[in-house]
């Protein structure tokens, strides 16, 4: 439901918000010799929204609810290929907007998932939701299905900013639904900063307003302008002016300060959580774990191979209903590429990378992968090396998207 996040793609950083690291291509298992046979995570992509927001380039169709039935039949076929139910520790329903499905279809989807991806005890079950959709009927269905975590694409509490983002919910919607969403064990809010014309004070007001609800988890994303979106075209036409980079940096720092002052742990570049409320599903991606991914555009990483389904919901449905595979591309990454990606994912986490453990797991030394850049980045104080652990400094956090290409490049 937003720009800089991922959903069952290899760029899975969060949801309903600006995509962070377009430079990071995949989340992969680092254990080259023995890929695990039973991934503990599953992602289900639900490609429907009421309308497409101007900044969104996710895999979805807007205003085509007539395709929901075909999608559910196709998804069932894709799941039947698993042959046997696969118990998982984390489940994530993303989109699009899973809660856009009308209650009967949502129930059908939840039943399918329960059958093929039963959740293990103490598992995490996340669902992305548009706050506008969180009515009593859908909430009851989600709770009855065992959903533990709801991730709300709120984005802002300002009417003008929501209008600019082309969001279809009101700024006060959270007050109305909050008693209902608090029934979930964990509640996450997504906020976007850096919209054209936004001031630092307006952003701080968004953070303060979010803080009054005391969410368990907060994701904050800087707006990005992805090729193919309406926003991209508007920038090219001169109709929208991206914010000054300096101001965006100050906004990001304000989010970090908000986390520090409210006790939310800043555990990943864009994510903050109370103790015990990190998104375990995303942590699996960031740690290079295996995962199933079903639905249009969904990616999976299984037995050392990553696969991505056809992005077009039309093609996805057509292929599955005519007995063809939904997979559009698959590849096996070499050990060094996996090590490089693991390094980037590791550094995105605030706790950084433990060098000995990294070398043991990947077969590669960080110093060999980064080469001359390592002493330079340490000297510039963008990276900190202490107690055998490498992590981003505060300045490094601000620059991180510019640093990743140096780690990924051979
Ligand atoms: S609500 Fe739908 S169109 Fe809007 S950002 Fe989210 S996924 Fe994209």
């Amino acid at each position: 439901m937003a720009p800089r996040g991922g959903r069952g793609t290899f760029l899975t950083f969060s949801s309903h918000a600006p995509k962070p690291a377009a430079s990071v291509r995949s989340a992969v298992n680092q254990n080259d010799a023995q890929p695990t046979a039973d991934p503990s995570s599953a992602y289900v992509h639900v490609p429907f929204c009421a309308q497409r927001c101007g900044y969104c380039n996710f895999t979805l169709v807007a205003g085509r609810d007539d395709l929901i039935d075909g999608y559910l039949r196709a998804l069932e076929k894709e799941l039947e290929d698993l042959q046997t139910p696969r118990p998982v520790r984390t489940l994530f329903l993303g989109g699009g907007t899973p809660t856009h499905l009308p209650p009967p279809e949502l129930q059908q989807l939840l039943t399918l998932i329960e059958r093929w991806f039963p959740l293990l005890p103490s598992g995490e079950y996340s669902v992305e939701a548009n706050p506008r959709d969180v009515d009593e009927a859908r909430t009851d269905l989600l709770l009855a299905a065992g959903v533990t975590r709801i991730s709300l694409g709120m984005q802002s509490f300002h009417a003008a900013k929501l209008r600019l983002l082309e969001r279809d919910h009101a700024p006060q919607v959270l007050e109305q639904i909050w008693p209902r969403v608090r029934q979930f064990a964990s509640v996450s809010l997504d906020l976007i900063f850096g919209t054209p014309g936004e001031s630092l004070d307006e952003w701080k007001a968004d953070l303060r307003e979010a803080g009054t609800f005391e969410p368990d988890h907060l994701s904050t994303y800087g707006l990005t302008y992805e090729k193919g979106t309406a926003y991209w075209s508007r920038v090219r036409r001169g109709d929208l002016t991206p914010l000054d980079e300096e101001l965006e940096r100050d906004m990001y720092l304000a989010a970090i300060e908000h986390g520090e002052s409210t006790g939310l742990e800043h555990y990943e570049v864009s994510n903050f959580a109370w103790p015990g409320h990190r998104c375990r599903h995303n942590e699996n991606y960031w740690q290079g774990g295996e995962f199933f991914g079903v639905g249009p555009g969904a990616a999976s990483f299984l037995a050392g191979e990553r696969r991505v389904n056809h992005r077009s919901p039309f093609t996805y449905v057509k292929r599955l209903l005519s007995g063809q595979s939904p997979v559009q591309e698959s590849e096996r990454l070499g050990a060094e590429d996996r090590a490089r990606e693991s390094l980037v994912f590791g550094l995105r986490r605030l706790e950084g990378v433990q060098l000995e453990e990294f070398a043991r797991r990947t077969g590669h030394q960080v110093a060999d992968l980064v080469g001359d850049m390592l002493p330079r980045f340490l000297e510039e104080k963008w990276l900190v090396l202490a107690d055998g652990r490498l992590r981003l400094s505060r300045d490094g956090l601000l620059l991180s998207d510019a640093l990743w290409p140096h780690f990924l490049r051979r």
Side-chain angles (χ1 to χ4, degrees):
M1 304 191 64
R4 212 203 282 232
R7 45 272 312 289
T9 68
F10 288 112
L11 298 174
T12 304
F13 290 95
S14 171
S15 55
H16 291 192
K19 291 198 167 96
S23 53
V24 181
R25 290 168 297 138
S26 70
V28 291
N29 189 311
Q30 304 305 315
N31 185 341
D32 207 24
Q34 292 293 324
T36 54
D38 293 310
S40 61
S41 292
Y43 174 82
V44 180
H45 191 79
V46 186
F48 298 98
C49 284
Q51 58 170 60
R52 185 180 280 274
C53 306
Y55 55 83
C56 178
N57 73 340
F58 290 138
T59 298
L60 62 93
V61 281
R64 288 300 308 264
D65 293 3
D66 54 305
L67 294 177
I68 293 174
D69 179 57
Y71 158 76
L72 288 170
R73 283 187 291 127
L75 188 71
E76 184 167 17
K77 286 214 170 296
E78 188 180 10
L79 289 167
E80 281 168 359
D81 279 347
L82 294 171
Q83 293 175 350
T84 170
R86 307 300 182 108
V88 290
R89 281 188 192 82
T90 73
L91 251 175
F92 198 107
L93 264 61
T97 309
T99 53
H100 177 69
L101 297 190
E105 284 81 4
L106 181 61
Q107 178 62 69
Q108 252 181 281
L109 175 72
L110 295 168
T111 304
L112 258 184
I113 292 169
E114 190 177 357
R115 176 168 169 217
W116 290 102
F117 293 129
L119 196 64
L120 289 164
S122 310
E124 175 192 271
Y125 191 166
S126 299
V127 173
E128 290 180 336
N130 181 331
R132 199 184 80 150
D133 298 332
V134 186
D135 56 16
E136 211 170 314
R138 288 180 176 88
T139 305
D140 288 350
L141 289 180
L142 296 174
L143 288 167
V147 171
T148 61
R149 184 174 180 277
I150 190 160
S151 174
L152 297 164
M154 188 60 208
Q155 316 312 354
S156 175
F157 295 88
H158 290 99
K161 182 169 162 186
L162 288 172
R163 262 197 311 278
L164 184 63
L165 289 169
E166 301 174 16
R167 302 288 306 177
D168 59 1
H169 56 81
Q172 312 82 0
V173 65
L174 214 50
E175 278 166 45
Q176 292 146 18
I177 65 167
W178 198 249
R180 207 172 286 143
V181 297
R182 276 287 30 156
Q183 296 175 79
F184 294 94
S186 204
V187 182
S188 180
L189 293 185
D190 283 359
L191 294 180
I192 292 177
F193 62 86
T195 51
E198 185 176 5
S199 71
L200 184 57
D201 282 347
E202 280 166 341
W203 169 236
K204 285 183 176 173
D206 264 342
L207 289 167
R208 270 198 310 277
E209 185 72 25
T212 62
F213 290 93
E214 301 186 352
D216 306 298
H217 187 280
L218 181 68
S219 300
T220 63
Y221 301 103
L223 182 67
T224 55
Y225 301 85
E226 305 290 333
K227 202 167 180 181
T229 62
Y231 264 39
W232 168 269
S233 312
R234 288 179 67 182
V235 168
R236 284 178 72 89
R237 281 202 307 271
D239 178 34
L240 279 183
T241 309
L243 227 52
D244 175 68
E245 270 184 28
E246 197 85 348
L247 178 53
E248 269 203 60
R249 269 205 288 277
D250 288 346
M251 289 178 164
Y252 180 52
L253 282 175
I256 295 174
E257 281 157 18
H258 170 81
E260 285 167 353
S261 66
T262 55
L264 285 164
E265 181 199 11
H266 187 196
Y267 73 103
E268 196 267 349
V269 171
S270 306
N271 290 285
F272 304 81
W274 289 106
H277 288 275
R278 291 182 179 193
C279 177
R280 286 159 52 197
H281 185 82
N282 280 346
E283 291 238 292
N284 179 54
Y285 291 132
W286 298 329
Q287 288 166 4
E290 295 199 326
F291 51 92
F292 296 101
V294 293
S300 52
F301 181 69
L302 303 167
E305 184 181 47
R306 65 186 192 195
R307 295 179 212 151
V308 186
N309 282 348
H310 278 273
R311 252 180 83 96
S312 155
F314 300 95
T315 309
Y316 170 83
V317 170
K318 201 167 132 201
R319 288 185 68 89
L320 276 156
L321 295 187
S322 61
Q324 297 176 69
S325 162
V327 176
Q328 182 170 28
E329 55 184 69
S330 59
E331 68 171 328
R332 270 177 198 281
L333 280 189
E336 183 178 334
D337 285 337
R338 293 188 200 180
R340 288 180 180 282
E341 293 193 351
S342 176
L343 180 58
V344 171
F345 278 106
L347 288 175
R348 286 189 61 90
R349 304 170 79 225
L350 274 280
E351 58 205 42
V353 171
Q354 212 288 329
L355 297 179
E356 272 183 24
E357 186 277 334
F358 180 88
R360 231 184 358 262
R361 181 163 49 86
T362 66
H364 290 270
Q365 301 284 344
V366 169
D368 294 339
L369 295 175
V370 188
D372 294 347
M373 288 297 151
L374 186 57
R376 187 182 148 213
F377 291 167
L378 287 168
E379 202 178 314
E380 297 280 1
K381 299 199 172 25
W382 295 332
L383 289 176
V384 177
L385 180 59
D387 302 327
R389 192 171 271 282
L390 189 68
R391 61 175 177 79
L392 288 176
S393 66
R394 178 67 57 96
D395 285 347
L397 270 172
L398 293 168
L399 281 175
S400 57
D401 280 356
L403 299 183
W404 306 141
H406 296 285
F407 297 104
L408 291 169
R409 203 163 32 227
R410 279 171 182 264

